[in-house]
Amino acid sequence: MADRRPCIAGNWKMYKTGEEALELIGELKDLIAGVDDVDVVVAPPFTALSVVADRIKGSNIQLAAQNLYWESEGAYTGEISPTMLVSTGCSYVIVGHSERRQYFGETDSTVNRKIKAALVHNLVPIFCIGESLEEREAEKTFSVLDKQVSGGVESIAADDIGKIIIAYEPVWAIGTGKTASNEQAQEVHHFIRKRVSDLYGKDIANIVRILYGGSVKPNNIVGLMVQPDIDGALVGGASLTASSFAGIIKFKIS
Ligand code: 13P
């Protein structure tokens, strides 16, 4: 975790209607009132962004969207622009989640365009990367991640790289209850930081926060957070219940 400020983000995926979202955020707000040493981010579905934005005003919770399109406006039926996200109260946006790569055809190149659009609009991109089980078993983890990292940040200025949050989510650990071991996760996070260092230098690599995602729960967060290159978590299932998400946010390293 080093000196970097921890960030715990909840990806609600395609869960929670507006009403359900309000209930969840209300409970969470109470449970984590006073937490000021962690950046807490929630990413509700688009249809719940407005109500959640309203409810978290003045609190220690910040808002993310789960996706964006790279144009500011235009005839792009069904898409949502960075300008719209900013005006709804978002300060972060998840980009290139493995579910979007897997089911919606996102590629390193579209992910790169989205990261650039987010940066232009001062949205912090939470840039997701991760290998599948087949890729890990074929010992391709590092080459896959190398390609995802360099493709995702292609032609982005060094000054902007420090603003990006990278989320390493091994696809085989998402929603499966299988987490990477602390050592496996640290090994990959270290590799990612080294790649950022090779591309942009040590100072920038030391600033970039790298979150771990994949079956993070209150009972495994501490083991992850003590690792030197793990700066937080991107949480799916456990962010859908206020008590478990609060348990992750309030992790304490003894
Ligand atoms: P789970 O925490 O449900 O495994 O999901 C992880 C994830 O995909 C977060 O973006």
Side-chain angles (χ1 to χ4, degrees):
M1 191 170 87
D3 291 338
R4 294 172 290 271
R5 185 173 160 86
C7 174
I8 305 285
N11 175 8
W12 295 3
K13 305 194 178 182
M14 199 176 73
Y15 292 98
K16 307 292 175 188
T17 61
E19 267 175 35
E20 291 164 346
L22 266 183
E23 193 182 326
L24 172 56
I25 203 68
E27 286 172 19
L28 181 68
K29 220 173 116 172
D30 290 345
L31 287 173
I32 64 160
V35 171
D36 60 4
D37 50 0
V38 175
D39 285 338
V40 178
V41 180
V42 294
F46 288 130
T47 46
L49 285 174
S50 268
V51 286
V52 173
D54 238 35
R55 195 72 166 73
I56 59 177
K57 265 189 200 132
S59 79
N60 52 357
I61 305 173
Q62 294 170 283
L63 194 62
Q66 298 175 18
N67 184 26
L68 83 171
Y69 191 58
W70 52 77
E71 298 291 345
S72 298
E73 60 177 12
Y76 301 104
T77 302
E79 294 297 317
I80 304 286
S81 77
T83 319
M84 292 166 180
L85 297 182
V86 170
S87 82
T88 309
C90 292
S91 37
Y92 296 74
V93 59
I94 297 172
V95 178
H97 191 279
S98 63
E99 287 148 15
R100 298 217 51 87
R101 293 178 189 255
Q102 197 178 344
Y103 307 129
F104 303 101
E106 297 210 5
T107 63
D108 292 336
S109 147
T110 57
V111 168
N112 175 249
R113 292 185 80 164
K114 291 181 177 197
I115 293 176
K116 286 178 181 159
L119 289 167
V120 166
H121 291 85
N122 287 321
L123 287 162
V124 175
I126 302 179
F127 163 36
C128 300
I129 56 176
E131 82 287 2
S132 66
L133 185 59
E134 301 81 76
E135 289 162 343
R136 176 161 282 263
E137 285 175 345
E139 298 187 357
K140 288 188 185 150
T141 298
F142 295 113
S143 61
V144 167
L145 293 171
D146 189 13
K147 191 171 154 286
Q148 289 177 341
V149 170
S150 42
V153 300
E154 198 182 311
S155 71
I156 293 179
D159 280 356
D160 277 339
I161 296 296
K163 300 175 193 160
I164 296 176
I165 293 180
I166 297 176
Y168 167 58
E169 301 201 309
V171 177
W172 49 271
I174 296 178
T176 57
K178 279 187 205 163
T179 21
S181 68
N182 300 328
E183 294 71 28
Q184 269 173 333
Q186 165 56 26
E187 182 189 28
V188 173
H189 280 232
H190 179 74
F191 170 82
I192 296 166
R193 199 174 303 287
K194 173 82 175 55
R195 287 304 293 135
V196 175
S197 174
D198 294 343
L199 292 165
Y200 294 99
K202 235 181 163 164
D203 290 350
I204 288 176
N206 277 334
I207 295 172
V208 171
R209 289 183 289 180
I210 308 177
L211 315 185
Y212 172 78
S215 299
V216 175
K217 305 275 182 283
N219 64 9
N220 58 25
I221 183 69
V222 174
L224 291 162
M225 293 303 293
V226 294
Q227 305 301 321
D229 288 297
I230 299 183
D231 307 310
L234 181 55
V235 184
S239 72
L240 296 174
T241 312
S243 57
S244 57
F245 195 45
I248 295 171
I249 292 164
K250 291 175 160 179
F251 76 91
K252 277 283 161 287
I253 296 174
S254 47

